[in-house]
């Protein structure tokens, strides 16, 4: 029986493996690290003495590829998912607090002053139509920056959160699928989902269990060093201490980040520039009483952009964090704590125990120019397929994009006769 070899056990590789194993295909999954999950994982942090995530991850019910994956691995119930979509925000400069409550297939909610962003008018939301006509090389700021409050309170935070790239540089083309999948499909699609216990418990461990049950081979601490080619096909894999020789019908799905793929496949053009994300986990003295509507709050006008709550742990996200990634914890913690304390209305003068996490290459910079460098699933080699959030999915580099890319690669691998 032919084997589909999948290299990289991030969400793209896991999604490909799950799809193939579910279709009765034999798979072998190889991962350089001693754990799966890649950029979406949990671990025990020595500073806090607690299990934490490598960074806050937000998903929506409308992320249909991700939701399908979670259903297959039996993990849908491993998420906190408010019954109604509600997005609490605070503006640290003005002190204003509000909750955006998108609802209904037709966005009637923009006509309700209690549901829309304060200070905005229903007509302001018509600007969303520009997403359909924006030029391919336009940025988010070029498209929406004349939008006043709606730009500051909606387009800019949405851009930074979904593209991990500043609105001045981010490609507007990537926002249309986000808006359509999350806000254009009714309130069910807009319900946020947050891993209940941890990213690994929700996205990764159930997938590994599923693969094991299906007889998949899982190989950790296997870093692919080189790919061998013969007659326009992949003929083998070199892991240093181990070599795999391909049978005639074997296939390879390469689901590694762009820099690794570029090293393994000389001549492959990949997006080179990466954007960092900064996360800080604060161990609060007690569980805060706000927000009630959701286990997170969007923060405007501070260094912190989002604060997620899991019990007493308040986790702060700073996306597109190039200006801050080289700062020391001594510089970052007091400022972030000031933002968190104000956002959560916690009275405490000195920061509680805190762990700063830096993901320097969290995603590629999702600029209009970089989109031209995203490769397709199929390659010049008949039995080699690419997956990863950076490949040409038409979606931003997110969980949804990564899982979609894995599903597409699995489909292409199955179509090869
Ligand atoms: C801090 C942070 C916050 C984020 N927040 C969100 C969010 O809120 N919502 C959202 O949707 N997305 C978010 N993302 C993005 C999301 O995590 C990624 O898009 C997704 O996890 C990428 O999955 P992937 O499989 O494409 O890549 P990766 O997770 O990078 O997986 C690639 C795997 O390949 C392995 N590998 C590399 N080279 C080799 C080799 N030579 N041999 C074998 N294995 C190799 C790596 O070790 C890794 O495990 C966030 C990312 C970060 C870092």
């Amino acid at each position: 029986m032919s084997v589909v070899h999948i290299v990289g056990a991030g969400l793209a590789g896991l999604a490909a493996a799950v799809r193939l194993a579910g279709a009765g295909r034999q798979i072998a999954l190889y991962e350089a690290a001693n754990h799966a999950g890649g950029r979406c994982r949990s671990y025990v942090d020595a500073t806090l003495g607690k299990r934490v995530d490598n960074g806050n991850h937000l998903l929506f019910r409308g992320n249909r590829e991700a939701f399908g994956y979670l259903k297959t691995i039996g993990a849908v119930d491993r998420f906190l998912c408010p019954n109604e979509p509600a997005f609490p925000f605070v503006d640290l400069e003005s002190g204003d607090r509000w909750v955006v409550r998108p609802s209904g297939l037709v966005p009637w909610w923009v006509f309700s002053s209690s549901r829309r962003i304060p200070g905005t008018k229903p007509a302001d939301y018509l600007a969303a139509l520009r997403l359909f006509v924006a030029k391919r090389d336009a940025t988010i700021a070029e498209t929406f920056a004349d939008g006043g409050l709606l730009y500051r309170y909606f387009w800019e935070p949405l851009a930074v959160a979904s593209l991990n790239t500043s609105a001045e540089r981010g490609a507007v083309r990537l926002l249309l699928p986000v808006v359509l999948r999350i806000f254009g499909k009714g309130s069910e699609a807009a319900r946020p989902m947050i891993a209940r216990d941890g990213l690994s418990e929700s996205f990764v461990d159930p997938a590994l269990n599923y693969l094991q049950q299906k007889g998949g081979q899982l190989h950790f601490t296997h870093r692919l060093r080189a790919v061998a080619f013969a007659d326009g096909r992949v003929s083998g894999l070199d892991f240093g201490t181990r070599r795999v020789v391909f049978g005639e019908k074997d296939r390879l799905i390469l689901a590694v980040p762009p820099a690794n793929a570029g090293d393994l496949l000389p001549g492959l053009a990949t997006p080179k520039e990466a954007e960092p994300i900064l996360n800080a986990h604060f161990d609060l003295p007690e569980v805060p009483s706000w927000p009630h509507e959701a286990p997170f709050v969007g923060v405007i006008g501070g260094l912190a952009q989002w604060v997620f709550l899991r019990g007493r742990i308040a986790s702060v996200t700073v996306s597109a964090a190039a200006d801050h990634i080289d700062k020391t914890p001594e510089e970052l913690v007091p400022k972030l704590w000031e933002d968190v304390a104000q956002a959560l209305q916690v009275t405490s003068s000195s920061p509680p125990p805190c762990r700063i996490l830096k993901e320097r290459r969290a995603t590629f910079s999702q600029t209009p120019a970089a989109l031209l460098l995203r490769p397709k699933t199929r390659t010049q080699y008949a039995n080699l397929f690419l997956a990863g959030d950076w490949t040409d999915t038409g979606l931003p580099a997110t969980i949804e994009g990564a899982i979609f890319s894995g599903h597409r690669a699995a489909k292409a691998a199955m179509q090869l006769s």
Side-chain angles (χ1 to χ4, degrees), residues 268-284:
L268 178 74
T270 60
K272 296 276 178 294
E273 201 188 343
E275 295 281 345
I277 296 183
L278 194 66
N279 268 266
H281 298 292
F282 287 96
D283 191 357
L284 304 178

Side-chain angles (χ1 to χ4, degrees), residues 7-14 30-33 35-41 54-59 63 161 164 222-225 239 254-257 260-261 264 277-279 308 317 319 359 361-363 387-390 396-403 405:
V7 176
L11 294 181
L14 287 171
Y30 307 88
E31 165 57 46
H35 55 261
R39 282 170 278 154
C40 182
R41 67 183 187 286
N54 72 314
N56 297 320
H57 279 66
L58 188 60
L59 188 70
N63 289 141
N164 186 31
H222 271 60
R223 176 173 292 280
L224 182 61
R225 311 273 169 194
F239 292 97
L254 195 57
V256 300
N260 306 76
L264 289 162
I277 296 183
L278 194 66
N279 268 266
F308 286 65
T317 301
S319 297
E359 288 273 5
R361 303 186 71 79
T363 65
D389 63 354
W390 57 281
T398 51
I399 294 171
E400 177 73 351
I403 290 177
S405 78

Side-chain angles (χ1 to χ4, degrees), residues 20-340:
L20 287 158
R25 301 299 177 117
Q26 192 173 329
I27 66 106
L29 180 62
Y30 307 88
E31 165 57 46
N34 63 1
H35 55 261
R39 282 170 278 154
C40 182
R41 67 183 187 286
S42 318
Y43 68 97
V44 176
D45 179 71
T47 311
L48 299 175
K50 288 201 162 83
R51 194 164 160 82
V52 295
D53 292 337
N54 72 314
N56 297 320
H57 279 66
L58 188 60
L59 188 70
F60 293 88
R61 287 293 278 251
N63 289 141
R64 54 178 186 254
E65 299 287 333
F67 197 67
Y69 164 82
L70 295 171
K71 261 176 42 188
T72 305
I73 62 174
V76 171
D77 61 352
R78 295 182 179 214
F79 287 82
L80 299 173
C81 184
N83 288 335
E84 294 290 326
F87 300 88
F89 278 90
V90 55
D91 183 340
L92 299 182
E93 284 167 15
S94 65
D96 286 345
R97 287 171 196 272
W98 66 96
V99 181
V100 180
R101 297 176 192 275
S103 68
L105 208 51
V106 180
W108 296 116
W109 57 275
V110 304
F111 293 101
S112 160
S113 59
S114 64
R115 283 180 176 266
R116 66 173 182 259
I117 296 164
T120 62
K121 301 182 294 300
D124 297 339
Y125 294 79
L126 287 174
L129 295 174
R130 294 179 194 172
L131 287 172
F132 292 93
V133 293
K135 287 198 191 135
R136 291 179 75 75
D137 60 353
T139 65
I140 291 147
E142 283 164 2
T143 312
F144 293 114
D146 60 351
L149 268 185
L150 197 60
Y151 179 69
R152 174 176 163 81
Y153 286 167
F154 182 73
W155 292 115
E156 200 175 14
L158 182 71
V160 175
S162 352
L163 271 59
N164 186 31
T165 305
S166 71
E168 289 74 30
R169 302 182 64 235
V172 76
R173 263 166 73 191
L174 291 177
L175 271 197
L176 180 60
V178 175
V179 170
L180 288 181
R181 278 177 198 223
I182 299 171
F183 300 109
K185 297 256 186 256
S187 47
E188 179 62 16
R191 286 172 66 194
M193 296 174 71
I194 296 166
R196 193 187 56 209
D197 301 314
L199 293 172
S200 293
E201 288 82 350
S202 297
F203 286 101
V204 181
D205 301 344
L208 297 178
N209 288 340
Y210 180 89
L211 293 173
Q212 267 160 347
Q213 279 167 20
K214 297 277 176 193
Q217 302 168 38
L218 310 180
H219 305 282
F220 294 99
T221 59
H222 271 60
R223 176 173 292 280
L224 182 61
R225 311 273 169 194
V227 184
F229 297 98
D231 302 327
R233 302 173 78 88
V234 175
S235 57
L237 304 175
D238 179 358
F239 292 97
T241 51
R242 174 186 186 156
R243 276 164 204 262
V244 175
V245 178
F246 269 36
E248 201 189 319
K249 300 235 163 181
D250 284 1
R251 295 123 218 240
L252 170 61
I253 294 178
L254 195 57
V256 300
N260 306 76
D263 290 345
L264 289 162
L265 303 177
L268 178 74
T270 60
K272 296 276 178 294
E273 201 188 343
E275 295 281 345
I277 296 183
L278 194 66
N279 268 266
H281 298 292
F282 287 96
D283 191 357
L284 304 178
E286 58 192 48
V287 178
S289 54
W290 194 82
H292 322 284
E293 298 83 2
F296 56 81
V297 52
V299 182
I300 309 282
L303 173 57
Q305 294 161 354
W306 293 90
V307 182
F308 286 65
L309 278 166
R310 192 184 290 147
R312 276 179 18 206
I313 299 285
S315 303
V316 182
T317 301
V318 185
S319 297
D323 291 345
H324 308 287
I325 202 76
D326 291 323
K327 291 182 181 165
T328 62
E330 290 70 30
E331 293 171 283
L332 291 167
V333 171
K335 175 62 191 134
L336 287 172
W337 175 244
E338 196 183 309
D339 292 356
V340 173

Side-chain angles (χ1 to χ4, degrees), residues 395-414:
L395 301 173
T398 51
I399 294 171
E400 177 73 351
I403 290 177
F404 181 41
S405 78
H407 287 165
R408 270 218 310 217
K411 186 174 175 194
M414 284 192 276

Side-chain angles (χ1 to χ4, degrees), residues 345-406:
Q345 298 173 304
V346 175
T347 43
S348 167
S349 48
S350 56
C354 175
R355 177 79 160 99
I356 299 275
L357 293 176
K358 297 177 177 180
E359 288 273 5
R360 289 184 181 270
R361 303 186 71 79
T363 65
F364 75 101
S365 297
Q366 296 167 69
T367 61
L371 299 194
L372 302 174
L373 297 171
R374 295 178 100 180
K376 302 275 181 219
T377 308
R378 291 172 196 275
T379 66
Q380 65 187 106
Y381 305 101
N383 61 346
L384 168 57
F385 308 94
L386 297 176
D389 63 354
W390 57 281
T391 58
D392 190 10
T393 58
L395 301 173
T398 51
I399 294 171
E400 177 73 351
I403 290 177
F404 181 41
S405 78

